Amino acid sequence: MFLPLKVVALAFAIMLAALPACAADTVTADDTARFLAGMMPSADSPLVPLTRDPAWQQHARFFDQAFAQLEQRQLSKIRAWAEANLAAPRPTMFYMFSGPDFIYADAFYSQATTYVLSALEPTGSVPDLTRLPRSDIGAALYNVERSLSSVLSFSFFITKKMKVDLHAGEISGTLPILYVFLARSGKTIRTVAPVVLDENGIVVTEGAGKGAVRGARITFAGNDGVERTLYYFSTDLSNSGVKASGFLKFCETLAPGNSLIKSASYLMHAGNFTVVRDFILKNSATIIQDDSGIPLVYFNQSRWRFFPFGRYAGPIAEFPGRYQESYAELFHRAQPIDFGIGYRWRTHETNLLLAVQLPGDGFGTADAVAQDAPAPKPAPPRPRAPRQPAPFFSSQPGGFFWFGR
């Protein structure tokens, strides 16, 4: 009778001993993010052997240097600015026309608990890196570096370049870039799941019909241990696009929030993006933007207070006709700023506007001015476009395209 019990006990002990090994066979999203970011994964991760590859070690050194420079040059200063100027941020932040730019969303609104990023770029996927041929790892890491080269150099993504980089190789789309930014921002990823919005803005399973918007939901935590949620949706933000989808209806369930608009190609200056422009004005307690965001003429002046920082030098040459006389007048009383942002990324040329909606019974229902408001007048001759810095990577033939985020 005792022998079978010993056999059972021995078998159970062997099974328990095997459990850690089974767990170690699983590549977590957090370990994948750390690996792509050039940071060591957890000690028992199957990705650890790949970190001995010279290509990964070079990748890690490159990102260590690049992100250290970014932290010193911009991110630490942005966080200090936000702490000094944002009194009571809302739990939700909206970042339209963002691409995968979580790192600036986090720097400006680090206290948010829900981030909603949206742009045309596809969500993509991140495969199990242990299943890739070793020879493909180096190329995959290089594609990640290329995808981040402009945002690390200029503070925004170059759209035309990103369209190529985010479709290259096994690792594609915005998801791997979000992974890198989360890891390098000191976040721990807990879950990652695809999400689909139906035409009513309801999160549904795969197979939604016409007008479905696809994206990803990432839950993560920072050093404070608070669980936060990041949504990224690949969607068309033009009038026809948002009217045909449930994206803004989904956003309404999270409103009111705060908004960030940066390097947005001046899209909301034109008539084809009035719906998303009015959504931001109606559903934002604060808006942080550069001059590529919402023109002053569309703010209800009795409902908003403006706090300008930096210097308004006008748009760069790639965006003619977007000069705002009202912006120039507003920035005559601007406070100094010690970091650069947007297309005018040099500190002495950059402009940043903090717009705060006044509290009241009608908060969340403030109307934009009439749709037929006059377009901003063309500017007189403006300063020359800034010379581009030496990027981390050589540009493609014909140089960089400036259009981007």
Side-chain angles (χ1 to χ4, degrees):
M1 180 174 178
F2 292 101
L3 183 58
L5 289 176
K6 291 182 179 180
V7 171
V8 170
L10 179 60
F12 185 69
I14 293 173
M15 182 181 67
L16 289 177
L19 284 178
C22 293
D25 289 340
T26 302
V27 180
T28 66
D30 188 64
D31 281 337
T32 300
R34 293 181 64 84
F35 181 85
L36 292 176
M39 303 167 67
M40 282 296 296
S42 57
D44 62 346
S45 172
L47 293 172
V48 169
L50 299 182
T51 64
R52 303 186 188 106
D53 190 301
W56 183 87
Q57 294 174 359
Q58 181 179 356
H59 171 76
R61 288 191 296 269
F62 171 78
F63 269 178
D64 283 345
Q65 179 182 4
F67 279 95
Q69 292 175 357
L70 185 64
E71 173 68 20
Q72 181 180 14
R73 184 177 68 244
Q74 286 181 294
L75 299 181
S76 62
K77 297 176 180 179
I78 290 173
R79 286 192 292 269
W81 178 91
E83 184 175 355
N85 292 284
L86 300 179
R90 298 272 173 161
T92 301
M93 75 87 62
F94 301 112
Y95 189 179
M96 311 295 184
F97 312 100
S98 64
D101 188 18
F102 171 77
I103 201 162
Y104 283 99
D106 176 63
F108 278 107
Y109 289 112
S110 61
Q111 299 304 309
T113 54
T114 302
Y115 298 82
V116 183
L117 278 58
S118 55
L120 281 174
E121 288 74 33
T123 306
S125 61
V126 181
D128 183 346
L129 300 180
T130 62
R131 298 182 182 276
L132 292 181
R134 285 294 185 98
S135 59
D136 290 351
I137 295 293
L141 295 174
Y142 180 70
N143 283 336
V144 172
E145 293 173 7
R146 283 176 52 85
S147 299
L148 290 172
S149 61
S150 65
V151 75
L152 293 175
S153 295
F154 310 135
S155 87
F156 59 88
F157 289 98
I158 300 172
T159 300
K160 292 185 179 180
K161 183 174 179 293
M162 188 164 56
K163 285 181 180 178
V164 176
D165 293 337
L166 294 184
H167 286 86
E170 296 285 344
I171 299 177
S172 63
T174 59
L175 199 56
I177 308 305
L178 292 171
Y179 274 25
V180 170
F181 282 160
L182 284 160
R184 283 287 174 174
S185 299
K187 315 303 183 188
T188 300
I189 296 176
R190 292 181 174 173
T191 65
V192 181
V195 290
V196 182
L197 301 178
D198 68 11
E199 59 185 5
N200 297 311
I202 306 299
V203 177
V204 296
T205 59
E206 290 285 343
K210 183 179 179 181
V213 174
R214 301 182 186 279
R217 178 174 54 208
I218 303 173
T219 62
F220 65 92
N223 293 331
D224 58 5
V226 176
E227 183 167 290
R228 292 174 163 85
T229 303
L230 165 62
Y231 291 97
Y232 175 82
F233 291 104
S234 175
T235 188
D236 178 2
L237 293 172
S238 69
N239 288 350
S240 60
V242 293
K243 288 178 180 178
S245 78
F247 172 66
L248 292 184
K249 293 178 182 178
F250 170 80
C251 292
E252 286 175 355
T253 66
L254 300 171
N258 303 291
S259 289
L260 174 63
I261 311 169
K262 178 175 69 67
S263 307
S265 299
Y266 298 86
L267 293 173
M268 288 182 289
H269 286 228
N272 196 32
F273 291 87
T274 59
V275 176
V276 70
R277 183 183 69 204
D278 292 345
F279 174 88
I280 295 171
L281 288 170
K282 180 179 178 181
N283 293 283
S284 300
T286 63
I287 299 173
I288 296 173
Q289 66 171 33
D290 61 16
D291 66 296
S292 73
I294 300 174
L296 286 183
V297 69
Y298 294 111
F299 285 85
N300 183 331
Q301 301 290 318
S302 67
R303 296 298 307 275
W304 293 86
R305 291 294 177 265
F306 302 116
F307 302 90
F309 296 84
R311 171 182 174 233
Y312 179 58
I316 59 175
E318 283 76 6
F319 298 99
R322 301 305 184 189
Y323 187 88
Q324 299 178 70
E325 292 287 357
S326 58
Y327 233 75
E329 182 178 351
L330 176 64
F331 272 78
H332 285 159
R333 61 178 177 84
Q335 300 179 51
I337 196 171
D338 62 353
F339 58 87
I341 207 74
Y343 298 126
R344 296 282 188 180
W345 44 264
R346 286 193 173 92
T347 302
H348 67 279
E349 295 180 340
T350 206
N351 69 83
L352 190 69
L353 178 64
L354 170 61
V356 180
Q357 187 166 186
L358 298 177
D361 294 339
F363 176 73
T365 61
D367 294 326
V369 301
Q371 295 294 320
D372 58 355
K377 296 181 179 179
R382 303 182 302 279
R384 295 177 60 189
R387 178 175 57 83
Q388 301 173 29
F392 287 104
F393 295 95
S394 300
S395 61
Q396 297 292 327
F400 278 111
F401 294 93
W402 280 88
F403 297 83
R405 297 172 182 90

